[in-house]
Amino acid sequence: MELHDFYYDLPQELIAQDPLLKRSDSRLMVIHRDTDEIEHKHFTSVLDYMNPGDCLVINDTKVIPARLMGEKEDTGAAIEVLLLDNKGDNVWETLVRPGKKMKIGARVSFGGGLLKGEVIDIVEGGNRLIKFEYEGIWEELLDKLGEMPLPPYITHRLEDRNRYQTVYAAHEGSAAAPTAGLHFTPELLKAIEDKGIKIARLTLHVGLGTFRPVKETKIEEHLMHSEHYIVPEEAANIINETRANGGKIIAVGTTSVRTLETAGKEDGTIVPCSGDTSIYIYPGYKYKMVDHLITNFHLPESTLIMLVSAFYDREKVLDAYKLAVEEKYRFFSFGDAMMLL
């Protein structure tokens, strides 16, 4: 398939720059895949499309303030470092800008020397491995010096860091938020559980590859980034019980989908496990784990819109996006949501 097959026109003003005052006030486009009917609702209506015995699968990863602004020690040149993957022993795989200034052996300082780092290797794709030096507690230092790594299409400053975090975020490690989960409030989650819907919590640490554009004309030639995932025993048990009892598996976001489809078996069951996934889902892929999908509106020509197209139908997804533009839905990370039944 051609990359341009996943293009749509989006007016710049529909890219949401700020989160709504209340998370669950966002709009919800509901698509019935069996009839192609489309409804326009508000996000709290997700409850109406879940039944007792169903299972909501959420990604409880937590975004770290992974963007560090520093200075090259020998020249004082401004250097931006984005933490991508903790390799252990104070070594991180990072994205560095400008990368050409940071060769092996180059040193960078942050916060007037509170944190220092040295490039020890350059890996595939030009990412740098940096070994950090500091005193004290890493998480406290990062909280003091780091910024939330908002996507490049968000130009407004985020006043409250917690708004780029789900209310159920628990395990630190993401360079980006699993944004479909940003719409949920504690009250809505309680209402879901009170209705008899189980919530399964798994973890996938979202990497920067989420924002990396597809450059290949033939989409089949694109190589996906790798991300670390964990399926705990409790989550596996809930999902398997739901499947055995005929309930629906409702995935919140493309990260939950990628974890489920990586770890799940052909018979729709799953076992506790962890690992790295670079699963690439585009039309032609046969889903084995996910019955319903809650997701945001994604960038044109992105792997995320390809994943959604594989779940439904490429042309019908693009028609829904065109309708969303006409109806002035808000797009991308802080935007509105879609539920595919």
Side-chain angles (χ1 to χ4, degrees):
M1 299 187 78
E2 302 283 330
L3 180 60
H4 194 71
D5 291 337
F6 298 91
Y7 179 79
Y8 67 92
D9 282 314
L10 179 68
Q12 195 78 12
E13 64 268 19
L14 293 185
I15 300 175
Q17 293 295 322
D18 303 288
L20 295 177
L21 202 57
K22 186 177 180 184
R23 293 171 182 264
S24 58
D25 279 351
S26 48
R27 295 168 71 190
L28 179 74
M29 176 184 282
V30 181
I31 299 178
H32 298 262
R33 292 184 295 157
D34 54 347
T35 63
D36 299 330
E37 179 192 359
I38 292 178
E39 298 179 276
H40 303 289
K41 302 284 186 175
H42 280 89
F43 193 78
T44 49
S45 298
V46 292
L47 190 60
D48 300 335
Y49 301 96
M50 302 181 202
N51 297 309
D54 287 347
C55 170
L56 188 74
V57 181
I58 59 177
N59 178 9
D60 65 4
T61 187
K62 192 170 187 178
V63 186
I64 61 173
R67 178 171 280 126
L68 294 163
M69 306 304 296
E71 297 178 345
K72 197 162 182 276
E73 283 194 349
D74 55 353
T75 65
I79 299 291
E80 178 184 344
V81 173
L82 191 62
L83 304 174
L84 298 179
D85 188 18
N86 185 355
K87 299 296 186 181
D89 197 28
N90 295 327
V91 175
W92 283 77
E93 182 176 342
T94 67
L95 177 67
V96 177
R97 297 191 186 99
K100 61 184 178 182
K101 292 181 181 291
M102 297 297 288
K103 297 179 168 54
I104 293 175
R107 293 182 59 82
V108 60
S109 176
F110 309 91
L114 287 175
L115 176 66
K116 296 182 178 182
E118 180 176 327
V119 178
I120 61 172
D121 200 2
I122 299 175
V123 297
E124 188 178 354
N127 290 347
R128 268 62 175 169
L129 292 185
I130 295 182
K131 187 172 180 66
F132 289 98
E133 307 155 15
Y134 59 92
E135 293 182 3
I137 300 172
W138 169 257
E139 288 79 11
E140 291 180 359
L141 201 58
L142 202 58
D143 199 51
K144 181 176 183 178
L145 301 177
E147 300 174 9
M148 280 300 196
L150 294 178
Y153 49 75
I154 294 178
T155 58
H156 290 190
R157 181 176 176 81
L158 183 63
E159 297 301 327
D160 179 2
R161 276 187 186 184
N162 287 327
R163 291 311 307 272
Y164 194 57
Q165 207 80 270
T166 63
V167 296
Y168 46 76
H171 303 291
E172 291 191 336
S174 274
T179 54
L182 294 178
H183 306 283
F184 288 90
T185 62
E187 294 80 12
L188 180 54
L189 290 168
K190 184 178 185 303
I192 288 168
E193 289 188 300
D194 287 347
K195 190 175 178 178
I197 295 129
K198 293 289 179 72
I199 298 178
R201 292 167 168 80
L202 43 74
T203 307
L204 182 135
H205 293 313
V206 188
L208 194 70
T210 297
F211 308 126
R212 189 170 290 154
V214 178
K215 296 179 180 177
E216 293 78 9
T217 304
K218 299 285 187 186
I219 67 164
E220 295 85 355
E221 296 173 3
H222 176 68
L223 293 177
M224 286 290 288
H225 57 288
S226 179
E227 295 168 321
H228 189 69
Y229 70 89
I230 303 164
V231 179
E233 184 175 2
E234 183 181 1
N237 290 342
I238 292 171
I239 291 166
N240 291 336
E241 182 183 327
T242 301
R243 184 70 75 204
N245 294 332
K248 300 293 187 184
I249 305 297
I250 305 157
V252 177
T254 58
T255 60
S256 296
V257 169
R258 295 182 72 229
T259 304
L260 287 168
E261 293 297 319
T262 295
K265 297 180 178 181
E266 289 300 325
D267 64 359
T269 62
I270 196 166
V271 296
C273 57
S274 63
D276 297 318
T277 179
S278 54
I279 190 172
Y280 181 20
I281 298 176
Y282 55 86
Y285 179 85
K286 301 298 181 188
Y287 280 81
K288 55 184 182 281
M289 294 297 298
V290 181
D291 298 308
H292 299 330
L293 171 61
I294 297 170
T295 188
N296 278 19
F297 291 91
H298 304 295
L299 277 74
E301 300 184 337
S302 65
T303 60
L304 305 181
I305 196 171
M306 293 174 195
L307 181 152
V308 177
S309 297
F311 191 67
Y312 181 28
D313 175 274
R314 181 187 64 84
E315 290 185 1
K316 291 174 182 177
V317 166
L318 290 176
D319 285 344
Y321 271 59
K322 183 179 179 183
L323 179 60
V325 169
E326 292 170 1
E327 295 289 332
K328 295 193 168 15
Y329 275 72
R330 301 164 76 248
F331 279 68
F332 306 162
S333 293
F334 288 140
D336 295 316
M338 170 188 284
M339 187 173 191
L340 296 114
L341 302 174

